[in-house]
Amino acid sequence: MKIKNCISTLLNGLLILLILFLSGCNGRNINSLTNEKVKFKDLPVEITHYLRNPNDYHEDILYDLIELPKGKENKYRLESIGTWIGPWESHKELIHLKKNLHYKIDRAVPRPYIVFKNKLYVPDRYNIFTTVSDLNELEFIRYQLK
């Protein structure tokens, strides 16, 4: 009888954990979105202007998420999601504020994340403002946000 109660309690606990886990999955990984590689020269003018003139946007360089064009109301927010154990980052989530859509961005994805016309642009390498001397070498992955 004790074993049956222990098994029942264990199954109930697992069921609760499964429900909590699945309720947190209201998004998708950006890797599951339609995407394509884009060379720097093929980026929209607004993005190339931003990348060529980072001093014009000095305060934005401190942030991981850049929404262009500037001056419009932000549609997205970026959140850092911690691991279950310890103080580490599991991943980032790009959240559409009005639609409450969540897009998971894995931890090893370079920044900044640039959103322009419902598309997310991610550089092919880290530290593009400090380590890249020729911007024409850059490539981005363009994800179609839904």
Side-chain angles (χ1 to χ4, degrees):
M1 194 57 127
K2 268 187 165 181
I3 293 176
K4 187 176 180 182
N5 287 340
C6 286
I7 291 173
S8 175
T9 302
L10 179 63
L11 288 175
N12 286 338
L14 288 174
L15 180 62
I16 290 170
L17 283 175
L18 181 63
I19 290 170
L20 288 173
F21 175 76
L22 292 176
S23 67
C25 296
N26 61 343
R28 61 190 75 168
N29 193 304
I30 61 168
N31 295 327
S32 69
L33 299 173
T34 302
N35 65 74
E36 62 182 319
K37 283 191 175 189
V38 180
K39 294 186 183 291
F40 179 82
K41 66 181 177 77
D42 298 323
L43 290 171
V45 173
E46 291 85 350
I47 295 175
T48 58
H49 182 269
Y50 167 78
L51 295 171
R52 287 185 196 278
N53 303 291
N55 290 336
D56 292 352
Y57 305 92
H58 182 69
E59 71 280 355
D60 291 340
I61 293 174
L62 302 174
Y63 299 106
D64 292 336
L65 176 64
I66 309 298
E67 283 191 68
L68 297 174
K70 287 304 198 184
K72 292 178 106 179
E73 181 182 348
N74 288 344
K75 291 182 182 179
Y76 293 90
R77 176 179 80 232
L78 190 67
E79 284 188 9
S80 180
I81 307 300
T83 57
W84 287 32
I85 300 173
W88 304 285
E89 179 181 271
S90 169
H91 63 277
K92 299 265 189 202
E93 279 194 6
L94 180 65
I95 303 167
H96 190 289
L97 297 171
K98 291 184 180 173
K99 297 179 183 176
N100 198 31
L101 292 173
H102 294 240
Y103 301 97
K104 178 182 175 186
I105 302 174
D106 294 328
R107 189 175 55 209
V109 176
R111 300 169 192 144
Y113 311 124
I114 301 171
V115 176
F116 179 70
K117 292 190 177 179
N118 292 325
K119 293 178 178 72
L120 172 65
Y121 294 83
V122 177
D124 65 344
R125 62 193 86 175
Y126 289 100
N127 304 320
I128 62 174
F129 295 112
T130 56
T131 62
V132 177
S133 58
D134 182 8
L135 293 175
N136 291 311
E137 296 174 359
L138 288 175
E139 285 189 355
F140 286 75
I141 299 177
R142 177 173 46 208
Y143 297 95
Q144 179 64 49
L145 299 173
K146 299 184 182 216

